[in-house]
Amino acid sequence: MPESSSRILVLYTGGTIGMVESEEGYVPAPGTLQALMEERPSFRADDVPAFEVHEFDPLLDSANMTPDDWLRIAEAIRARFETYDGFLVVHGTDTMAFTASALSFMLHPLDKPVVLTGAQLPLDETRTDAQGNLLTSLLLLGQFSDRLAGVHLFFHDRLFRGTRVTKVNADSFGAFDSPNFPTVGTAGINLDIEWDRVPAPYSPPRTPAVTELGAATVSAFRLFPGLGAASLENVLAPPVQGVVLECFGAGNAPDQNEAFLEALRDAADRGVVIVAVTQPLRGTADLELYATGQALADAGVVSGYDMTTEAALSKLYYLFEQDYDPAEVRRLVQNNLRGELTPPEEVPSALGRTRRRLAGYR
Ligand code: ASP
């Protein structure tokens, strides 16, 4: 690959990738990742862009990440935005998809690339996936820093849109997928990017504003057969402002459970924004399709379409941060703001198309 003149900032937040074994199991160890990268000649190859490592203190297992940590990452990027051509956020895999979605909403406009990566095994292990994930992320950033904008996640030879990716496997090297949006790029013999799937950066790049997330109270609740209305009432109780409701199939819920519907209606009347997403990895929650979905819509729930729970939660945090009233949050949560959802008229579902045609939707 050609030599790169880009300068990349590596923000190391923690995760397995730089962990060492301890008596309590794997723990993040300060200085380890940078030392291991410096030891390895591949990281000094001509085609690898110049990079500097900024290590967070404390390093975190990403299970401990909070919106305050998202803010630290976003601020670190904004503060050095003019100095570097691209940003590599090295992160634990467990909540990396949440951080990818959150950063997508927090940093705006984003005319330079931010790539998140991590690994299933520490860089020091013989069969590690860390070296490939780090090196390929750096090469992607180096080679495409002037064309690749927005937040992406690179893992196991695939580049995903930040608002579409989710962790799907705790054991395999292919830990992530993007079930409702095609892969943005692949790293085979060549590094290939599908440019029509990437937002076009503005030139010259503008320094992004950072929206702090985390002040709103949001939550997520997964429906299951036999759920009692009381547990849902607890989730919807004040001070909660927004809830992601993980529904069955195409956005369905028990429409014969009057207490359940009443709990939703009551919360929606109080201004709680309830967004339906689908439990299956692939597909869309469209409350217009079935009577069991329509009952949710009648109770004040809105469609989250094919958003991941990660994206829907980050989006609720973000919209409440703008001080919109609940009606405006309900309207905007259904709009595509950062490539996080497919509008219903573009959903490739035969049933959806038929239903809409019959209803004169288009
Ligand atoms: N528990 C680790 C973390 O998310 C897992 C990993 O990095 O793969 O920080």
Side-chain angles (χ1 to χ4, degrees), residues 296-307:
L296 286 179
D298 293 343
V301 178
V302 293
S303 299
Y305 303 115
D306 58 351
M307 275 190 288

Side-chain angles (χ1 to χ4, degrees), residues 15-17 19 60-63 91-95 119-120 167:
T16 299
I17 194 163
M19 288 192 186
L60 292 176
D61 185 305
S62 76
H91 196 289
T93 60
D94 288 345
T95 65
Q120 294 282 57
K167 185 169 179 181

Side-chain angles (χ1 to χ4, degrees), residues 49-62:
F51 65 89
E52 272 143 50
V53 180
H54 171 83
E55 185 173 287
F56 280 61
D57 179 19
L59 291 170
L60 292 176
D61 185 305
S62 76

Side-chain angles (χ1 to χ4, degrees), residues 40-54:
R40 287 164 168 67
S42 324
F43 287 93
R44 296 190 297 271
D46 287 343
D47 50 356
V48 174
F51 65 89
E52 272 143 50
V53 180
H54 171 83

